[in-house]
Structure formats: structure tokens, C-alpha cells
Amino acid sequence: MPALLHSPNARPNARTASGTSRGNPSGWSRLLGLAACRGTRFRFQPAASEGVARCVVLRVKRGKRTLRHVLAVVPEGGALDLVAVARLYGAGSASFVTPETAASVTGFSGPLAPYSADPAVELIVDQRLGGLPEMVFNDIRPDVSIAFDTGDLLALARPRLGAITA
């Protein structure tokens, strides 16, 4: 697994499996490193086509004022219910952000991991995913999926659970 986790023994110009340079680890590199340290069960598998989750960054607003940014984890084919997200936060609206804003808010560019080290960016997981035995993500590499034990991932990331898909 050294190619997937940040390794101090890697070549100076080496890139991780997620495509980021060693000097700026991706959200995936941080999540996998933390998961390995905490004993979170996960496994790599060929890219999955069903039962996959995805992560998106949303802006939750009351009037013209942004209340917070939220990292939402939803089923790949599920329609995100922005009204439901806004209601969960007592806000007037929720909207998608640009990739540049997502990178600025999360501190990472590229594929988003289901983890936020910044307490100002709350992680919310659709409750349908919370009931599955595993959460599978295809974002780490085009040919590889990562499957997390759902209970372990929820314990590690400590997200808010809510009905956020239609």
C-alpha cells in the first residue's frame, strides 16, 4: 500500500495514487492515513458501478449571508435535495459551489474525500448510506474503488446523518 498512503520513503517527486504531490497531500491521503492509524476497516477493489457514494461541497445561506459550507456524501445516482439540506441548518437555501471554492474550503483540489479536518466544514451523510454495510467511493483513482466499513467510517469522520436525497 505504500503507493496509496503518504510515505516518507517515497521519491521526492513521486505522486500518490490520488495524483497529488507529496508536499500537499489530498483529502484521500489524509483520510487513508488516519483510517490506517485508527484501525478503520477499508479495502481497495476494481472500480464499482453500483452502490457508490460521492462527495460534494455545498454553500448553506440565510438571505445573502453564507452560514457555512457543508461536505455532503450522497449515493452516486441520488438527486441531492438542496431544500432538505437548507432545512437541516435552518437556512433559506443551499447551493453547489465551484470547484475553486470547494478546493479553497476543503484545502484540497481534486476528488473530495468523505472527511473534513476543518470543524467549519461539516460533513453530512445521507441517512440511506448510513444504513449500508459499506460505503464505496470511486474518486480515489479511475480504476480503483475504496470500500469502507460504514460503522468504522462514521466513527472516524463523525458526520451528521440526514435525509438529503430525493
Side-chain angles (χ1 to χ4, degrees):
M1 247 192 265
L4 292 171
L5 298 175
H6 175 71
S7 169
N9 299 326
R11 295 184 325 270
N13 294 325
R15 296 174 84 67
T16 65
S18 59
T20 59
S21 66
R22 285 185 28 182
N24 182 20
S26 72
W28 281 107
S29 295
R30 286 192 181 181
L31 175 60
L32 293 176
L34 188 59
C37 287
R38 299 241 177 114
T40 301
R41 292 172 288 181
F42 63 92
R43 62 186 168 81
F44 297 99
Q45 64 186 31
S49 59
E50 294 183 10
V52 178
R54 64 185 167 99
C55 302
V56 294
V57 177
L58 305 172
R59 175 182 294 118
V60 179
K61 295 176 82 172
R62 183 175 297 138
K64 292 186 178 193
R65 182 174 166 263
T66 297
L67 293 176
R68 71 178 324 130
H69 288 94
V70 176
L71 179 59
V73 181
V74 296
E76 182 67 47
L80 186 58
D81 185 345
L82 295 173
V83 173
V85 173
R87 268 194 231 126
L88 282 173
Y89 291 95
S93 67
S95 60
F96 295 98
V97 301
T98 65
E100 295 79 19
T101 301
S104 172
V105 166
T106 62
F108 307 113
S109 61
L112 296 170
Y115 175 76
S116 175
D118 183 352
V121 180
E122 185 171 12
L123 179 66
I124 184 166
V125 173
D126 185 71
Q127 66 187 17
R128 293 179 198 169
L129 292 172
L132 297 175
E134 288 185 323
M135 272 194 243
V136 180
F137 298 89
N138 281 343
D139 294 335
I140 192 163
R141 277 187 12 190
D143 59 334
V144 176
S145 289
I146 183 165
F148 286 94
D149 176 88
T150 299
D152 287 357
L153 181 60
L154 295 178
L156 176 71
R158 299 191 336 251
R160 181 176 189 170
L161 292 175
I164 59 172
T165 56

